[in-house]
Amino acid sequence: FSRYQNINQKTISTTAMCNGESIDVESQERKANPIEEKYFSASRVLFLGGIMYTVFIIGLAMRSLNIPALVGGSVEIDGLSFPIEAFRGLQIVGGGTRKKFTGGKVYTAGIYFDKEGTGSIVSALEPEEAALDQDFFDEVASSSSSKAIVLKFQQDVKAAVVAKDVTGALSKILEETSSDQFSKALGEIIPAGTDIPALTEISILCEEGTVTIKKGEASSPVMDETICPAIFGLYLGKSPVSKDIKDGFVSGALSKATA
């Protein structure tokens, strides 16, 4: 560093001799600094503004594609928070919102699989092996993996409306006995004539051939191995009850595959 100090000293003394007077170099630098400070301040503002704009655009994209937005130990789907893990280690893959024909939001669903099931889904969706035909979704729905669908309601809804929506669709693909069993279990959790308040959470958990419907501390199990594939088929089937939920499941899985 001494070499640079000598050069600076020579420069100062030469300048002083040429002008016939002593120059306060620090003073000269201070006079130039306000311009530099304004320039760098403007650059910082533009830089930070660019970052904020990028984050805003990414947020909009995640919402439009229903890619779960990570927030601490949970993810956000359509404005509602879902835990990353639930039910003894099930991991959220993705989800979306069930809407009325008029466009009003009824509930948002998060779809969960166990670690092995999630790994299989992600592997199947890696870029070099992508296979998004209906066979893929049918395999996912009928897999033996432990899995769950968590419904969070966006608005107050009549229990009878939800029961009719779900059991009505299931009755078309299940045997009558199985459909009646599920309808009875659902009725124990959301009795007819009651309301489901906004933000209520109802879960449908599938483990080893048993389907358990949960709401808070209440639960109602049904031992029937045909029900779970049918329920997941409602959301991931060829004609899903909500395209938004199916698309959100795919977006979430793809985001994991490319992470």
Side-chain angles (χ1 to χ4, degrees):
F1 290 102
S2 61
R3 183 163 60 114
Y4 295 105
Q5 289 173 349
N6 291 334
I7 292 173
N8 287 337
Q9 289 171 356
K10 290 180 181 179
T11 303
I12 293 170
S13 60
T14 302
T15 306
M17 288 175 63
C18 289
N19 293 336
E21 59 180 358
S22 176
I23 295 176
D24 186 348
V25 176
E26 290 184 1
S27 175
Q28 296 296 323
E29 289 176 350
R30 281 198 296 270
K31 291 179 181 179
N33 277 344
I35 298 176
E36 293 177 359
E37 287 177 359
K38 287 182 181 179
Y39 172 78
F40 287 114
S41 295
S43 298
R44 283 194 293 269
V45 170
L46 290 173
F47 177 71
L48 293 174
I51 291 176
M52 293 175 66
Y53 178 75
T54 301
V55 171
F56 174 72
I57 293 299
I58 291 173
L60 287 180
M62 293 180 78
R63 285 209 170 198
S64 64
L65 294 173
N66 279 328
I67 298 174
L70 184 62
V71 182
S74 63
V75 296
E76 185 180 297
I77 304 176
D78 204 359
L80 296 181
S81 177
F82 290 79
I84 294 174
E85 289 193 1
F87 309 113
R88 299 182 297 279
L90 299 192
Q91 302 173 0
I92 192 165
V93 178
T97 298
R98 175 83 160 103
K99 299 175 182 176
K100 300 177 181 179
F101 290 114
T102 56
K105 298 176 181 181
V106 182
Y107 60 78
T108 296
I111 300 179
Y112 290 76
F113 275 79
D114 60 22
K115 187 175 181 180
E116 182 180 350
T118 301
S120 297
I121 293 168
V122 170
S123 295
L125 291 176
E126 288 177 351
E128 66 272 18
E129 302 176 32
L132 291 176
D133 56 16
Q134 188 53 45
D135 288 343
F136 163 76
F137 294 103
D138 293 341
E139 289 177 10
V140 169
S142 61
S143 72
S144 59
S145 300
S146 295
K147 46 190 175 288
I149 296 177
V150 177
L151 311 179
K152 284 196 173 184
F153 286 79
Q154 294 270 4
Q155 59 176 292
D156 297 348
V157 184
K158 297 289 185 183
V161 173
V162 176
K164 183 179 180 180
D165 182 50
V166 177
T167 59
L170 284 176
S171 66
K172 298 176 182 178
I173 53 180
L174 280 175
E175 295 290 337
E176 184 176 352
T177 303
S178 298
S179 178
D180 288 346
Q181 283 184 317
F182 182 82
S183 180
K184 181 181 178 181
L186 184 62
E188 292 175 359
I189 300 300
I190 50 170
T194 62
D195 292 335
I196 302 175
L199 301 182
T200 296
E201 180 177 309
I202 297 175
S203 305
I204 303 173
L205 174 64
C206 300
E207 290 181 306
E208 300 179 352
T210 299
V211 177
T212 304
I213 307 170
K214 295 175 173 285
K215 188 185 78 165
E217 297 297 321
S219 65
S220 183
V222 181
M223 295 183 65
D224 188 325
E225 60 185 14
T226 68
I227 295 177
C228 188
I231 291 172
F232 274 78
L234 291 182
Y235 296 98
L236 302 178
K238 186 175 182 179
S239 300
V241 295
S242 170
K243 186 176 182 298
D244 190 71
I245 294 174
K246 183 176 181 178
D247 290 347
F249 172 80
V250 174
S251 296
L254 284 172
S255 69
K256 289 178 178 291
T258 56

